[in-house]
């Protein structure tokens, strides 16, 4: 089980990846892309080098928040929401206009990807904590490489997307959202 982070997605053939070439982004687990984005945003937007981030659990361990303060003001507010209950709560806040976050990492599995139903579980379906810890240790041992320094990603931007700030980048990787008129239907999901 693995996830693909679309913001720096690179299309590779598996036979092109050599042993020892596997790298990861910042974060303690495979679902920790929030950490890389947070550090990158702090540096690019506010000139601050963040070495370590601190997650603050809110309603439960699967709904956490990370903030960056500058001159006593919160300038970045990120959240990690794992599991459908937390995702549902975020959607409700968004609908009510009480959404405070600049970025949210959302994963369907409570506890994140490594804790998903296809992963580390005992025969009775409960999480296998020893195996989960072992998988996290193996992941943490993989060298960190920032996605923006990856030669293949740079080549993708140059060759396919015609540069970092091209019109094609805007059309391909960015989107705009607008309100949609709701029609009443029995098939509507009530979040």
């Amino acid at each position: 089980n693995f996830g693909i982070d679309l913001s720096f997605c690179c299309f590779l053939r598996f036979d092109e990846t050599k042993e020892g070439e596997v790298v990861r982004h910042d974060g303690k687990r495979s679902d920790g892309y929030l950490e890389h984005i947070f550090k990158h945003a702090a540096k690019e937007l506010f000139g601050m080098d963040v070495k370590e981030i601190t997650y603050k659990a809110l309603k439960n361990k699967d709904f956490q928040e990370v903030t960056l303060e500058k001159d006593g003001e919160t300038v970045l507010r990120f959240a990690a929401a794992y599991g459908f209950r937390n995702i549902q709560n975020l959607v409700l806040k968004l609908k009510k206009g009480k959404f405070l976050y600049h970025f949210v990492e959302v994963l369907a599995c409570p506890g994140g990807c490594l804790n998903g139903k296809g992963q580390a579980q005992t025969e009775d379906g409960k999480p296998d904590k020893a195996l989960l810890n072992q998988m996290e240790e193996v992941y943490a041992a993989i060298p960190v490489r920032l996605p923006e320094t990856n030669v293949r990603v740079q080549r993708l931007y140059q060759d396919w997307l015609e540069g970092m700030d091209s019109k094609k980048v805007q059309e391909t990787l960015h989107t705009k959202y607008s309100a949609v008129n709701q029609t009443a239907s029995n098939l509507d999901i009530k979040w």
Side-chain angles (χ1 to χ4, degrees):
N1 187 13
F2 64 94
I4 298 175
D5 298 308
L6 295 177
S7 54
F8 286 102
C9 183
C10 183
F11 303 100
L12 302 174
R13 290 180 22 213
F14 286 106
D15 60 348
E16 291 178 356
T17 303
K18 298 175 186 85
E19 187 175 334
E21 218 178 40
V22 177
V23 294
R24 67 180 177 92
H25 52 72
D26 276 334
K28 294 175 180 66
R29 299 166 18 165
S30 64
D31 47 315
Y33 204 57
L34 174 148
E35 188 166 331
H36 169 71
I37 297 294
F38 186 83
K39 289 176 179 180
H40 187 75
K43 183 158 184 81
E44 291 295 315
L45 298 174
F46 304 103
M48 298 174 71
D49 260 331
V50 176
K51 300 293 183 206
E52 194 81 24
I53 66 172
T54 303
Y55 289 85
K56 176 184 172 188
L58 298 178
K59 293 185 178 200
N60 56 62
K61 67 178 178 57
D62 283 331
F63 185 65
Q64 298 184 21
E65 181 178 83
V66 178
T67 59
L68 178 71
E69 290 190 12
K70 185 173 184 177
D71 301 326
E73 179 185 348
T74 300
V75 292
L76 284 180
R77 187 180 307 271
F78 284 22
Y82 303 156
F84 286 113
R85 179 184 58 188
N86 291 316
I87 296 168
Q88 183 179 26
N89 288 336
L90 278 175
V91 170
L92 287 171
K93 284 182 179 186
L94 183 62
K95 282 181 147 185
K96 292 178 182 179
K98 297 180 181 182
F99 196 76
L100 307 170
Y101 302 104
H102 298 103
F103 177 92
V104 177
E105 181 175 70
V106 176
L107 297 171
C109 296
C113 291
L114 291 181
N115 199 40
K117 285 295 183 190
Q119 297 299 325
Q121 295 185 359
T122 59
E123 288 181 21
D124 61 355
K126 296 196 174 47
D128 185 336
K129 294 196 185 294
L131 183 55
L132 182 59
N133 287 336
Q134 185 180 3
M135 288 189 312
E136 287 177 356
E137 286 174 16
V138 167
Y139 183 76
I142 298 171
V144 172
R145 184 189 318 154
L146 300 177
E148 59 269 20
T149 65
N150 185 311
V151 174
R152 289 185 177 107
V153 172
Q154 291 173 352
R155 202 171 345 148
L156 177 75
Y157 269 95
Q158 192 57 44
D159 298 346
W160 183 60
L161 295 170
E162 302 163 0
M164 294 290 285
D165 297 319
S166 71
K167 182 178 180 185
K168 192 166 185 179
V169 165
Q170 291 298 317
E171 292 170 351
T172 307
L173 301 178
H174 298 260
T175 189
K176 292 181 180 174
Y177 296 96
S178 57
V180 176
N181 291 332
Q182 300 263 336
T183 58
S185 167
N186 289 338
L187 299 176
D188 285 345
I189 298 173
K190 301 297 180 193
W191 290 74

